[in-house]
Amino acid sequence: MTDPVSPVLDLAAGLSPRIQGIRTSQIGLVADRGRDDPDVVKLWIGEGDLPTPDFIVEAAHRAMRAGHTRYVTSLGLPRLREALSAYHARHWGVDVPAERFAVTVGGMNAIMQAAQALLEPGDEIVMPSPGWPNLAEAVRVTGGVPVTVPYRVGPDGRFSLPLEDIAAAITPRTRVVMVNSPSNPTGWIMPRAEMIALRDLARARGLWLLADEVYAHFNYGDGLTPSFLQICTEDDRLIVANTFSKNWAMTGWRAGWLIFPRGLGPVFAKLGQYNTTSIPTFVQHAAVAALDEGDGFIRETVARCAESRAILVDGLTRLPGVTAAAPDGAFYLMARLSEGERSLDLAFRLLSEAKVGVAPGTAFGPEGEGFVRMCFAISPALAREAVSRLSAVLGGR
């Protein structure tokens, strides 16, 4: 007798092909095996180990007690949008009026709204690879086609992305070029001169630029990472996505923002309304506190990351066969740890043998094969423990 087909499978077969095609995160595959093990040093997720600062938590508590628990405008509280405007003026010296900001449910929702606004089915979006997998999947959900441009990798493990490689990937179907600088997972930072050249190329071709500037403060060179806001006008086809998650240890708060060209407020008000209505009102009050009072916390976090970065790079590059260049930005180390072993297999092996959780490089695209990604937004002590455990497993080969 033939077993009846599972009703669940029948229902899945009836879903949109776009949704059926959403890929399973390899980071999740590894994390699911060890997320509940307290002995694992967890470096797989893009999340620091610091708690949200007390002044942000207290601002949320005050807002809740004051009754700020009701609906607000989908673009966000006016006070928060003014605080975002002041934050960008303070750090990047740009004058972006409050009416060009939309508050979103984290950076992911900012990317999703941008994709919804810009892409029709079949439209292409050019993006670097390896790249954060959520970017490409947001494009696929909206019917767009991600066209990846591989980073070049030097003998020392440093990543680069020449502008000519981006330009070569543009076709008549290209609608958007996406840049994530500093990059997750490579730590690459786009030089300002190349940003200007890309802006000029986008203007000449009538293309949109989608800039993911989430890690802008995490720059281990001189000063802040340049922003496209510094070189573009309010009429350029530019959308900038950002989040409160990384700067202020607010990953679980789900608060982010996007910046759009002049005059598109009504468009993003509707997208916000029909995606989520708005983020919780008391979270928006906490976000104001983060912006207004949190610059010192950012500086301390970046300095802590720089120390842990140095520990990981110095310790791992002493091991045989390991190639890992200190990333210029973000808080990830993309390291080649093994030749001939699949990245996913290596991640599972390190979890089992070293009790260190890493993200397989192929989670970020096929160009990541042979690499693993480690988040170093952790304490220096934990970074040393990770190096010790990895050395015990990889040092004798």
Side-chain angles (χ1 to χ4, degrees):
M1 178 183 293
T2 304
D3 291 334
V5 176
S6 165
V8 174
L9 292 179
D10 280 344
L11 289 173
L15 295 177
S16 160
R18 292 206 305 267
I19 301 306
Q20 292 186 61
I22 296 174
R23 301 176 183 181
T24 300
S25 168
Q26 290 187 6
I27 304 173
L29 289 177
V30 179
D32 285 345
R33 289 199 185 181
R35 69 173 74 247
D36 296 326
D37 186 342
D39 295 328
V40 172
V41 177
K42 299 175 175 67
L43 309 181
W44 41 41
I45 304 295
E47 181 174 58
D49 62 349
L50 291 173
T52 305
D54 287 343
F55 69 89
I56 297 174
V57 175
E58 290 164 4
H61 286 173
R62 288 194 302 271
M64 283 187 278
R65 288 193 296 267
H68 296 298
T69 56
R70 304 181 70 83
Y71 290 133
V72 295
T73 172
S74 61
L75 284 174
L77 287 173
R79 183 182 173 200
L80 175 52
R81 297 168 75 200
E82 290 287 353
L84 283 164
S85 177
Y87 165 81
H88 283 81
R90 186 166 70 248
H91 290 289
W92 286 275
V94 294
D95 180 14
V96 183
E99 56 265 26
R100 288 181 55 200
F101 289 87
V103 178
T104 61
V105 184
M108 186 65 242
N109 182 235
I111 294 293
M112 185 65 77
Q113 287 194 35
Q116 291 167 340
L118 301 181
L119 297 174
E120 285 291 319
D123 285 345
E124 293 178 353
I125 176 168
V126 173
M127 58 179 61
S129 184
W132 185 40
N134 295 37
L135 301 177
E137 295 311 310
V139 170
R140 291 189 180 97
V141 166
T142 56
V145 179
V147 175
T148 56
V149 182
Y151 285 99
R152 300 187 188 189
V153 188
D156 61 352
R158 293 192 66 79
F159 291 86
S160 63
L161 188 66
L163 183 62
E164 57 263 30
D165 291 358
I166 297 176
I170 295 172
T171 76
R173 297 201 67 121
T174 302
R175 174 82 168 158
V176 184
V177 177
M178 176 183 286
V179 174
N180 172 212
S181 173
S183 159
N184 172 14
T186 66
W188 165 83
I189 293 177
M190 191 173 210
R192 183 184 176 94
E194 294 202 4
M195 292 169 64
I196 293 172
L198 179 58
R199 176 205 64 190
D200 293 345
L201 175 64
R203 286 174 174 174
R205 303 281 188 94
L207 301 175
W208 282 84
L209 291 176
L210 176 53
D212 177 347
E213 299 187 349
V214 165
Y215 298 96
H217 282 284
F218 293 87
N219 185 326
Y220 306 105
D222 296 326
L224 286 172
T225 305
S227 169
F228 275 95
L229 294 166
Q230 295 172 300
I231 62 169
C232 291
T233 72
E234 62 183 5
D235 296 317
D236 274 310
R237 296 182 176 186
L238 169 70
I239 294 178
V240 177
N242 217 315
T243 184
F244 288 86
S245 294
K246 315 299 181 178
N247 291 344
W248 299 283
M250 294 176 68
T251 50
W253 294 70
R254 309 315 304 133
W257 70 91
L258 57 77
I259 304 170
F260 45 78
R262 179 179 61 170
L264 293 189
V267 172
F268 285 95
K270 288 183 283 188
L271 284 172
Q273 175 67 36
Y274 299 132
N275 270 279
T276 61
T277 302
S278 68
I279 74 170
T281 311
F282 53 86
V283 170
Q284 297 192 50
H285 284 271
V288 172
L291 293 164
D292 290 351
E293 305 172 39
D295 287 355
F297 181 79
I298 294 174
R299 288 191 294 270
E300 293 169 5
T301 302
V302 173
R304 188 173 183 260
C305 286
E307 185 176 354
S308 295
R309 161 182 171 265
I311 291 166
L312 279 177
V313 172
D314 180 66
L316 292 177
T317 53
R318 295 175 185 269
L319 301 178
V322 173
T323 303
D328 293 327
F331 47 60
Y332 307 102
L333 178 63
M334 195 74 162
R336 191 188 295 277
L337 300 187
S338 178
E339 294 290 344
E341 186 172 10
R342 291 196 318 151
S343 293
L344 184 57
D345 293 338
L346 176 60
F348 283 133
R349 182 163 72 87
L350 293 177
L351 177 60
S352 173
E353 298 179 13
K355 290 281 189 177
V356 176
V358 300
T362 45
F364 308 94
E367 294 84 2
E369 185 61 89
F371 290 86
V372 298
R373 189 201 73 173
M374 289 171 264
C375 174
F376 55 79
I378 54 175
S379 70
L382 198 58
R384 292 187 188 94
E385 177 64 22
V387 167
S388 175
R389 294 186 185 191
L390 292 170
S391 298
V393 172
L394 301 173
R397 63 188 183 194

